[in-house]
Amino acid sequence: MTETQTKTSSPEFRAAAGAIDGLREDLLRNVFAYRPLPPLSPDGRLVRRLPEGMRRAVVWTPHALVLFAAFLVMMAGFAEWEFRLLMGLVPAIAVAMTLVRPVAAFWAAMLAAVFCGVLGSEGLWGPSAFGAQVVVMVVVAARTRPRTAAWMWLLTLLFGVLLEGGDPSITAPLATLSAFALLVVAVVQIRRDAEREVTVQRTVTAVERDRRTLLEERTTIARELHDVVAHHMSVVAIQAEAAPYRVENPPPELEQAFVTIRENAVAALTELRRVLGVVRAEDYEAPDAPQPTLAALDGLLDNVRETGLETEKVITGAVRELPQGVELSAYRIVQEALSNSLRHAPGSSARVELSYVLGGLGLRVVNGPPRGLVKPSPGAGHGITGMRERVAMLNGEMTAGATADGGYEIAVFLPVPLSELPEQPEQQPEARNAAGGDAAGNADTVVLERDGRA
């Protein structure tokens, strides 16, 4: 590697090249680009508190301030005895240009300083040129970024020192005042950008958290549905295998039909395991007991009462057996609602209402406000997200919100068409015993073991 290559690849050279590129990008490229100053947002923290009529005028405050500064610069130029119109108007035009072409306004302010220095009697930085240069740099820095402010300050300092014959004392007051003003603008900009970045990160984090919660709840639902469907398919396979032995001299067609039913049930179980097996973690163990239904709701309420939450159950309508997926989802919704009551309303009481209607099942869980010395635990809304996912899976409806007395209410309706209600076929005692006994455990494992593929 040659010495030239070493120098060109050194960090110092790359830093200098980056600085020059920054100067060209900020102050040399697109000098005359049209960039109008936008009005204030009507949704700002201060603007939105004003009346509607006043709000329409307040959003143009930055433009009014810039034009007022241009007016003051013009008045300072009019104080000159010679060429007072030009001495005030030329720097004021440079200030007004910051509203539409900020980069061009900076160079125009430099030219206005030369113009006033030639025509005026107070040197390069007369009152109007001095004021115009400071105002232009502040406005342009506020409209761009801190790096641009640093470049403008350095160029102004070099510009003043060179035109004044190398004497920095003449440009020192302008450099000092503009440095302080630009520093304040840079600090405000950095703080505003940091707040905007934090807001964006919080939004992204909240979205990702909700998405992760939704995926976890869907995974849980898929696991439970897998167990429910596998249980019923196992019962079908077992009953199809045992049916020919309960009929004396069954016809061959009937035996073949039951064989086909059993083969299809076993194939469905295998396919179910293959498709839904991806949702099970490696350490996940299938439950030994059947998935809970509304029949187990009393046990859940007893457990909740032992933790200190007074609960009451009210049932209206004719109690009947519902599809197992509906009963499982209803049980989980009540379970999650009571868990939320324990966390967010310690010391309160809860009421669980079940309404069996012709078109489905209605659920309502309402708790009172927290009481006692225990503080409520904060939550992220994951429980509500899971409940809504279960309700949406069954094409139901759900509302959740605070009550008038400071409590919380969850109301759910799960539709169950009459065609989906489980049938209760008449079975012989030995058939029911065979089906129920084998299905009570892990029935799908029994089927696969009989098939020789466990």
Side-chain angles (χ1 to χ4, degrees):
M1 182 178 294
T2 63
E3 183 179 357
T4 303
Q5 292 174 335
T6 303
K7 291 181 179 180
T8 56
S9 61
S10 63
E12 294 81 2
F13 181 84
R14 290 196 297 269
I20 298 300
D21 290 339
L23 172 62
R24 287 201 298 263
E25 181 181 357
D26 293 340
L27 295 176
L28 298 179
R29 293 177 184 173
N30 301 322
V31 174
F32 295 98
Y34 181 69
R35 301 172 185 173
L37 179 64
L40 295 176
S41 173
D43 297 328
R45 288 180 294 182
L46 298 178
V47 179
R48 64 186 177 187
R49 299 178 181 178
L50 300 176
E52 182 66 25
M54 187 180 298
R55 192 184 309 170
R56 297 175 183 175
V58 170
V59 295
W60 300 102
T61 300
H63 304 74
L65 291 176
V66 172
L67 294 178
F68 180 70
F71 174 77
L72 294 180
V73 169
M74 186 172 60
M75 291 296 102
F78 287 169
E80 297 284 339
W81 288 102
E82 298 179 356
F83 307 103
R84 61 173 57 189
L85 180 61
L86 294 177
M87 294 290 289
L89 191 60
V90 173
I93 291 175
V95 175
M97 284 180 62
T98 57
L99 294 176
V100 289
R101 290 180 169 84
V103 178
F106 170 71
W107 296 110
M110 304 274 274
L111 294 177
V114 176
F115 180 83
C116 294
V118 173
L119 296 182
S121 59
E122 298 188 16
L124 181 64
W125 302 115
S128 59
F130 187 98
Q133 190 69 22
V134 173
V135 173
V136 167
M137 285 196 295
V138 170
V139 175
V140 174
R143 296 197 57 191
T144 54
R145 48 186 171 180
R147 186 179 70 179
T148 307
W151 280 121
M152 288 191 300
W153 187 84
L154 287 175
L155 290 175
T156 302
L157 181 62
L158 293 175
F159 173 78
V161 172
L162 290 177
L163 292 187
E164 292 295 342
D167 185 6
S169 61
I170 299 176
T171 311
L174 173 65
T176 303
L177 178 61
S178 61
F180 177 76
L182 293 177
L183 180 61
V184 173
V185 172
V187 170
V188 172
Q189 279 188 320
I190 293 174
R191 178 182 176 85
R192 182 181 58 194
D193 294 340
E195 291 178 350
R196 186 183 301 113
E197 183 67 22
V198 170
T199 303
V200 171
Q201 290 298 328
R202 287 179 178 175
T203 303
V204 172
T205 302
V207 171
E208 291 297 330
R209 183 174 61 246
D210 293 341
R211 185 178 301 174
R212 184 173 62 251
T213 302
L214 186 62
L215 292 177
E216 290 175 354
E217 188 62 30
R218 288 181 176 178
T219 301
T220 303
I221 294 173
R223 289 171 178 171
E224 293 177 346
L225 288 180
H226 170 270
D227 297 335
V228 171
V229 175
H231 169 76
H232 286 290
M233 293 301 296
S234 300
V235 173
V236 171
I238 294 171
Q239 290 179 341
E241 183 179 11
Y245 300 101
R246 301 191 183 105
V247 180
E248 185 177 356
N249 298 325
E253 295 81 0
L254 183 60
E255 291 184 352
Q256 184 60 38
F258 282 120
V259 170
T260 303
I261 292 174
R262 180 182 180 278
E263 290 177 352
N264 289 335
V266 173
L269 282 171
T270 304
E271 186 68 15
L272 186 65
R273 279 208 177 101
R274 186 183 68 82
V275 174
L276 295 182
V278 295
V279 303
R280 294 193 185 277
E282 295 181 357
D283 57 347
Y284 176 79
E285 296 181 359
D288 296 332
Q291 293 291 351
T293 62
L294 292 177
L297 193 59
D298 290 335
L300 173 64
L301 298 181
D302 291 338
N303 292 334
V304 172
R305 291 189 188 100
E306 292 178 358
T307 62
L309 179 66
E310 298 181 2
T311 57
E312 177 187 4
K313 184 181 75 170
V314 178
I315 299 178
T316 58
V319 179
R320 64 183 184 276
E321 184 181 357
L322 301 174
Q324 190 165 359
V326 175
E327 295 219 1
L328 173 61
S329 295
Y331 179 90
R332 295 301 189 198
I333 291 171
V334 174
Q335 185 180 39
E336 184 61 37
L338 294 177
S339 298
N340 288 343
S341 300
L342 287 171
R343 287 192 297 268
H344 307 309
S348 66
S349 59
R351 178 184 175 92
V352 179
E353 299 179 2
L354 294 139
S355 301
Y356 289 85
V357 296
L358 186 61
L361 175 68
L363 293 175
R364 181 173 178 267
V365 182
V366 58
N367 61 264
R371 296 186 178 90
L373 301 178
V374 180
K375 294 183 178 180
S377 302
H382 294 177
I384 298 295
T385 302
M387 286 187 277
R388 291 190 186 279
E389 184 67 15
R390 290 182 181 273
V391 173
M393 179 189 65
L394 298 174
N395 296 322
E397 299 178 359
M398 172 179 167
T399 59
T403 58
D405 61 350
Y408 204 81
E409 177 185 8
I410 295 174
V412 175
F413 179 75
L414 303 177
V416 182
L418 296 178
S419 58
E420 297 183 7
L421 290 176
E423 298 180 358
Q424 303 294 334
E426 292 293 334
Q427 296 181 350
Q428 298 179 2
E430 59 271 21
R432 288 196 299 268
N433 292 335
D438 290 336
N442 196 354
D444 53 343
T445 305
V446 175
V447 174
L448 294 179
E449 287 178 351
R450 291 187 179 183
D451 198 48
R453 288 180 290 175

